[in-house]
Amino acid sequence: MTADLPEIAESPQRGMSSHLAGELLEVSMGPQHPSTHGVFRMNVALEGEVVRKLKPVFGYLHRNHEKIGENTSYLGSMPYTDRLDYFCSMTNNWAYALSVEKLAGIEVPERAEYLRIILAELTRLVNHTSLLGFLLSDMGAWGTPLMYAFRERERVLDLFESLSGSRMMCDYMRFGGCRVDLPAGWMERARQIVDGFPRFLDEFEELIT
Amino acid sequence: MESIEEMKARAEQAISGARLEIVPNPGPAGQPSLLLDHEHAFAVANFLRADPALRLDYCSNVTGVDWLDRTVKKKVKVKKLVDGVEKEIEETQEEFFPGYLEAVYHVYSIEHKHGPVVVRLRTRDRAEGAPLPSLTPVWRSAEFQEREIYDLYGIHFEGHPDLRRILMWDEFTDFPMRKDYREPDDYEYEPTPHDEVLEKAKQHYAPRPAEDGAEHLAAD
């Protein structure tokens, strides 16, 4: 049986055997996404296990936000910005609010500016902890690190919920400010969470290293 | 960063024959933009990118705009002789602006940390496949976004390395972001086995008009 197979020589590239050298195999990968939304396809040309060419194919879940925007008011587009990336709804709100404010020449009060920055930084914590969790999950540390990261993320999302009424679809920014002011005791809770964050980072580092 | 007027003057000096135009922005943002002519667009874009004072090396966004034909009514006071007496009469004049398609580029400089400079290109008319020079060879990041404009507005970018539809499927024929686009009634009707099964099933039960009006209609 083995006599028919060509000898596999030392390959200059990892994962590529000499008998596959020069032969391109076209593979259509996908459309696929681990959680099936925003599916994405790649047309790849493989030489052994080495990707020689790659053409991304997308549009399987294109919402055409511009078209939606044509049929709704400026403010009506605000909740859609939450859904562009639900790990960063606050910053997406902000980016949209900034562009409309620039367009219409609206000034934002100082307190609202501070609130926006605090919320954007909290969003960054949410986003980066999730990133670490998912990254480790994809690298094979299945489950546990993600749950640790999500535990921490959920603390910040509780803050968002107490402020905007929603964990992820906050719809909080408005043109020229923010929707509501902070509820009583919010800032104290936020401070506690931020103070406790370095502890989580140490714990997380110990968990994964 | 230097003003857009200086930018225009220097670009026109560097590239002979280039006809640049400053498009003013009357809104509160007040951000003027630079309109390039087709023949020299590539050279001017290269200049904006390579010039040591500008170094606009990053194209952050490219978008399309559809401008329909429009007539603007203006009231003008005209002096006219009425019954031998010169009088000032208000007249309504109509000015016609033919429609065109536009590609708008927002470019920044990573090196000098300035921007954005807004660069515009306009087609001659709104015809299908109206040409514009592609700026993808200058700013690589424009590749997919020019494809998107081609897909949704029908601007043909000449010199683009791979101009195909990007969001709509290849067989699609219209341009959905144009203002006069009308959605088809049915995108892709195909008979499926489901229809055949349904037809067969209908033969097996008697119509029940009292309970179900729809079935009665189908059985006729």
Side-chain angles (χ1 to χ4, degrees):
Chain A
M1 286 293 279
T2 49
D4 298 338
L5 286 174
E7 234 176 57
I8 295 170
E10 276 287 304
S11 162
Q13 262 142 334
R14 211 172 122 256
M16 193 173 81
S17 328
S18 59
H19 69 282
L20 292 169
E23 286 205 18
L24 288 184
L25 178 68
E26 276 187 42
V27 180
S28 171
M29 287 179 68
Q32 187 267 352
H33 184 274
S35 35
T36 66
H37 54 248
V39 286
F40 175 61
R41 179 155 71 100
M42 288 171 285
N43 281 335
V44 291
L46 301 175
E47 187 180 353
E49 287 182 6
V50 181
V51 177
R52 287 288 176 220
K53 270 189 229 162
L54 187 149
K55 290 217 165 179
V57 185
F58 36 87
Y60 290 96
L61 200 107
H62 182 235
R63 283 170 282 195
N64 203 349
H65 207 278
E66 298 101 309
K67 204 76 190 169
I68 299 172
E70 280 180 5
N71 296 316
T72 181
S73 62
Y74 278 97
L75 186 56
S77 279
M78 185 61 86
Y80 285 107
T81 62
D82 290 329
R83 284 139 182 93
L84 297 178
D85 173 5
Y86 52 77
F87 280 95
C88 305
S89 56
M90 288 286 191
T91 36
N92 281 324
N93 281 181
W94 196 9
Y96 177 55
L98 277 177
S99 49
V100 175
E101 280 155 11
K102 186 178 177 188
L103 183 71
I106 301 171
E107 292 224 354
V108 183
E110 199 182 354
R111 185 177 172 81
E113 289 274 21
Y114 274 103
L115 280 182
R116 285 176 171 192
I117 287 169
I118 290 167
L119 290 165
E121 289 299 327
L122 287 172
T123 301
R124 205 150 61 96
L125 293 186
V126 167
N127 184 291
H128 289 17
T129 38
S130 312
L131 165 77
L132 285 175
F134 279 121
L135 185 69
L136 287 159
S137 217
D138 288 345
M139 283 161 66
W142 182 250
T144 309
L146 181 64
M147 287 303 120
Y148 274 67
F150 266 23
R151 183 196 64 199
E152 216 59 28
R153 165 183 179 244
E154 210 60 37
R155 287 190 221 274
V156 182
L157 293 189
D158 282 347
L159 276 182
F160 287 176
E161 188 175 11
S162 71
L163 179 62
S164 71
S166 174
R167 287 163 65 244
M168 296 197 286
M169 304 297 152
C170 299
D171 183 24
Y172 179 67
M173 309 273 174
R174 287 293 179 267
F175 312 128
C178 298
R179 181 150 55 90
V180 286
D181 202 355
L182 300 179
W186 193 92
M187 199 54 101
E188 199 39 54
R189 280 175 64 203
R191 236 182 231 120
Q192 275 171 16
I193 287 166
V194 172
D195 287 343
F197 213 79
R199 234 187 84 238
F200 159 70
L201 290 182
D202 291 341
E203 179 199 45
F204 202 65
E205 194 180 349
E206 272 192 28
L207 177 72
I208 60 176
T209 51
Chain B
M1 193 174 55
E2 63 187 356
S3 73
I4 201 154
E5 285 81 13
E6 288 170 332
M7 220 180 284
K8 171 181 184 268
R10 287 208 302 121
E12 279 178 335
Q13 204 178 19
I15 295 131
S16 62
R19 295 182 309 280
L20 300 177
E21 205 179 301
I22 292 171
V23 184
N25 183 345
Q31 185 165 46
S33 44
L34 216 50
L35 180 66
L36 312 187
D37 63 312
H38 292 196
E39 292 89 309
H40 303 91
F42 181 77
V44 173
N46 249 336
F47 168 81
L48 294 178
R49 195 198 161 99
D51 184 73
L54 291 171
R55 279 259 182 238
L56 298 163
D57 48 12
Y58 170 54
C59 176
S60 123
N61 183 44
V62 191
T63 189
V65 190
D66 181 11
W67 296 96
L68 294 171
D69 295 342
R70 64 202 165 106
T71 42
V72 178
K73 281 183 185 170
K74 271 197 295 190
K75 282 192 174 166
V76 188
K77 284 188 175 166
V78 191
K79 283 185 178 169
K80 262 189 182 174
L81 283 174
V82 182
D83 303 330
V85 189
E86 199 179 46
K87 270 188 182 175
E88 213 171 69
I89 297 172
E90 213 170 65
E91 262 190 4
T92 328
Q93 286 181 350
E94 282 190 357
E95 201 177 348
F96 177 76
F97 295 95
Y100 51 85
L101 299 160
E102 193 175 54
V104 186
Y105 298 72
H106 288 227
V107 286
Y108 292 77
S109 171
I110 300 274
E111 198 177 313
H112 294 327
K113 297 193 174 69
H114 62 213
V117 173
V118 184
V119 176
R120 285 167 195 265
L121 288 169
R122 282 176 186 170
T123 60
R124 287 201 178 80
D125 48 35
R126 295 179 69 256
E128 195 177 317
L132 277 186
S134 169
L135 298 186
T136 302
V138 184
W139 292 295
R140 182 66 207 276
S141 56
E143 180 182 344
F144 280 11
Q145 307 206 40
E146 283 185 351
R147 267 177 74 187
E148 187 184 348
I149 296 171
Y150 163 72
D151 188 359
L152 302 180
Y153 291 89
I155 298 177
H156 192 90
F157 286 94
E158 283 169 350
H160 190 284
D162 185 21
L163 196 67
R164 290 178 292 134
R165 282 189 182 273
I166 189 165
L167 296 166
M168 308 305 281
W169 52 103
D170 291 340
E171 294 79 18
F172 192 78
T173 49
D174 219 334
F175 304 107
M177 279 303 289
R178 289 201 181 200
K179 298 277 184 216
D180 50 4
Y181 172 74
R182 289 284 167 275
E183 258 183 80
D185 295 333
D186 193 352
Y187 275 104
E188 38 178 350
Y189 175 75
E190 299 172 41
T192 60
H194 180 253
D195 297 320
E196 290 167 34
V197 173
L198 216 62
E199 280 306 313
K200 274 186 193 164
K202 271 181 196 151
Q203 296 163 10
H204 291 286
Y205 50 77
R208 300 171 301 173
E211 285 102 62
D212 194 343
E215 270 175 29
H216 173 66
L217 289 174
D220 283 344

